Amino acid sequence: MAHASDGRSLEFRLPDLGEGLTEAEIVRWLVEVGDVVAVDQPVVEVETAKAMVEVPCPYGGVVTARFGEEGTELPVGAPLVTVAVGEVDGAGDAAADGPARGTGAAEAPAAKTPAAEKKAEGSGNVLVGYGTSEAPARRRRVRPDRPAATGVSGRANGRVRAAGPVDGPVRAAEPADGPVPVISPLVRRLARQHDLDLRELAGSGPDGLILRADVEYALRAAAAQGGRTADQEAGAIRVPDAASASSGAFSSTSAAPHPDGTRVPLKGVRGAVADKLSRSRREIPDATCWVDADATELMRARTAMNASGGPRISLVALLARICTAALARFPELNSTVDTEAREIVRLDRVHLGFAAQTDRGLVVPVVRDAHARDAEGLTAEFARLTEAARAGRLTPGDLTGGTFTLNNYGVFGVDGSTPIINHPEAAMLGVGRIVPKPWVHEGELAVRQVVQLSLTFDHRVCDGGTAGGFLRYVADCVEQPAVLLRTL
């Protein structure tokens, strides 16, 4: 049977996609077993808590195995595909051989062909957490007395695990007095802080390794069930039977609070938003101030800009330009708090986030170096990121690293709000709808275009005087755009 001559089977694992993401859900496979893939060719589309991402494979060769069906949630470090690399004789037969990892046989080192050596140099297309240079050789233990299992799937801690070939035998449950498969001290500390027995958890990492995501999921599940049941307090976890598992309901000694309701999992974007907003409320002592402003002159200035030809200037771009000018005068609000060091970190660059509602939920794309962009540049970047958000093409890099957020909730037809700060930022400017209202202008009552502005800020980084000064400057620029000329 033809096979990969002078080659070997390399395993490509789900990389760290950035900003501490611990898992991703398979949305769509882009390759089939037996397909020939090139270096850096996308092989799978996954959805993280932040974005939809096409994951490129750093190896070129024949796909011999895929791990996980569409809809399966995989932790970072879990196998995605195996690829037979080297000079391929009969791609289809090579695929039929199956993954080397599922045979239980030890892999023998093979001499590299020039083509393999070239590919081993790496593609240069590096994702966070792994490189595309050749990985060091790993030795696998031969276990001929126990058959390898394939197609294993199921749930651990309530989440779907990958279906596909499994490296070696299925792990039996660890004895109560055996070692706990945990490496990270952070995971142990998190479990200890919440009185969670790690022996009760089934790890989702390689070889059953318990990850932080497993602990956090178990804590969320316990909170959702209204606390631990009596047998959990005694040190046992209640496992759902087949009937309850198929319906998604866990058996319990007490009835569910709303048995007729619909349960919606907090996962993906919705779960990430819930976690971040909850953390913001726990950690940040926020306060909000607001003011009404006459935006008539700002609207006239925008009309004049767009009448002169060239790219049209958006209103949000003008508000962003005002924000960056205000942050230059009040840099305390472009900062973050390092709680470990008990220090306020004032940031030199403004990476401006803006809230955008999409079919997948609320996202906050980030305009990099907003302070260095003019109104035209800001308009173009807002348009690019908004279109990418609606199409689900935002990358993790587009959604992370913000230092200040502009929230235009006026698009929902509301006047005001007290938004939750986008942790770990220190402030958020909110803009309500702009509507005609009676207003005293130059000593006379007139109908003017009025907007309500609100600023929610972290009271640790500044006092009310600084926050009030920032908001007053923003309002002055809205009412008299010529004020900006002083800093242009």
Side-chain angles (χ1 to χ4, degrees):
M1 181 177 294
H3 57 280
S5 301
D6 296 328
R8 55 207 170 105
S9 185
L10 296 180
E11 184 180 83
F12 173 48
R13 296 175 177 267
L14 178 65
D16 179 356
L17 298 172
E19 292 292 324
L21 297 175
T22 59
E23 58 202 10
E25 180 179 324
I26 297 175
V27 175
R28 180 168 58 100
W29 281 105
L30 305 178
V31 295
E32 300 287 343
V33 173
D35 286 355
V36 178
V37 296
V39 173
D40 288 343
Q41 177 179 331
V43 294
V44 65
E45 184 178 39
V46 301
E47 180 179 14
T48 70
K50 298 182 180 294
M52 301 269 274
V53 181
E54 288 187 351
V55 182
C57 179
Y59 311 123
V62 178
V63 177
T64 58
R66 299 187 322 191
F67 299 88
E69 301 298 326
E70 293 179 356
T72 301
E73 191 175 78
L74 296 177
V76 169
L80 278 177
V81 294
T82 55
V83 179
V85 301
E87 295 182 356
V88 180
D89 296 333
D93 291 338
D97 287 344
R101 58 186 278 123
T103 63
E107 294 181 359
K112 295 183 182 178
T113 63
E117 290 179 355
K118 181 177 181 180
K119 289 175 182 175
E121 292 175 359
S123 66
N125 191 352
V126 181
L127 292 176
V128 178
Y130 83 104
T132 56
S133 58
E134 182 184 11
R138 295 181 298 168
R139 290 184 293 177
R140 292 183 174 147
R141 290 175 291 179
V142 180
R143 296 174 179 172
D145 55 325
R146 301 172 69 179
T150 61
V152 177
S153 64
R155 289 180 177 264
N157 296 334
R159 53 175 79 183
V160 179
R161 297 301 172 207
V166 177
D167 190 3
V170 178
R171 290 175 55 88
E174 293 286 349
D177 57 351
V180 179
V182 178
I183 295 177
S184 170
L186 179 62
V187 172
R188 292 184 181 276
R189 184 178 67 179
L190 184 62
R192 186 166 58 250
Q193 289 174 344
H194 293 85
D195 296 325
L196 182 65
D197 188 353
L198 290 172
R199 299 179 191 278
E200 299 174 353
L201 303 185
S204 61
D207 295 328
L209 182 67
I210 297 176
L211 307 176
R212 179 176 179 176
D214 299 320
V215 175
E216 291 175 341
Y217 189 89
L219 295 175
R220 289 198 298 267
Q225 295 176 25
R228 301 186 179 191
T229 58
D231 56 346
Q232 284 175 322
E233 292 292 344
I237 281 187
R238 180 175 295 276
V239 180
D241 57 24
S244 64
S246 62
S247 64
F250 288 89
S251 59
S252 176
T253 55
S254 60
H258 300 288
D260 297 331
T262 301
R263 291 179 177 266
V264 179
L266 276 175
K267 59 185 294 187
V269 173
R270 186 74 262 160
V273 170
D275 292 342
K276 175 163 275 196
L277 297 184
S278 298
R279 182 177 182 183
S280 179
R281 274 289 187 238
R282 287 195 306 269
E283 295 186 9
I284 299 178
D286 59 351
T288 302
C289 54
W290 56 89
V291 65
D292 289 341
D294 179 1
T296 305
E297 295 304 321
L298 180 66
M299 301 299 287
R300 288 176 179 170
R302 176 173 176 258
T303 300
M305 290 179 189
N306 291 334
S308 62
R312 293 183 61 83
I313 303 300
S314 67
L315 179 60
V316 70
L318 294 179
L319 293 170
R321 185 67 188 87
I322 292 172
C323 274
T324 58
L327 289 172
R329 295 171 66 94
F330 300 92
E332 297 92 337
L333 294 169
N334 192 53
S335 62
T336 187
V337 176
D338 185 340
T339 55
E340 294 290 335
R342 293 186 60 81
E343 295 175 342
I344 298 172
V345 182
R346 292 184 182 173
L347 306 168
D348 298 328
R349 302 159 68 185
V350 178
H351 300 317
L352 186 67
F354 65 99
Q357 193 70 35
T358 71
D359 293 339
R360 298 176 61 240
L362 178 68
V363 294
V364 185
V366 177
V367 177
R368 304 284 170 184
D369 295 317
H371 61 289
R373 300 176 186 261
D374 57 18
E376 285 189 1
L378 288 168
T379 297
E381 187 65 0
F382 277 122
R384 182 189 72 82
L385 291 171
T386 299
E387 177 60 27
R390 289 172 178 167
R393 297 195 307 267
L394 290 172
T395 67
D398 292 329
L399 291 164
T400 53
T403 64
F404 186 92
T405 296
L406 174 63
N407 188 357
N408 181 21
Y409 44 75
V411 297
F412 302 119
V414 298
D415 295 326
S417 174
T418 56
I420 300 175
I421 294 174
N422 188 21
H423 184 280
E425 298 170 13
M428 176 185 293
L429 178 69
V431 181
R433 61 177 180 164
I434 301 176
V435 293
K437 286 185 179 181
W439 190 267
V440 176
H441 176 65
E442 296 180 350
E444 296 183 356
L445 187 63
V447 176
R448 306 285 285 181
Q449 300 293 319
V450 179
V451 61
Q452 184 180 100
L453 306 170
S454 64
L455 176 70
T456 299
F457 64 99
D458 186 340
H459 227 313
R460 295 173 298 179
V461 304
C462 69
D463 295 324
T466 300
F470 174 93
L471 188 58
R472 186 65 256 172
Y473 179 80
V474 170
D476 290 343
C477 290
V478 168
E479 294 184 339
Q480 302 176 34
V483 172
L484 276 176
L485 295 175
R486 295 178 60 91
T487 57
L488 292 180

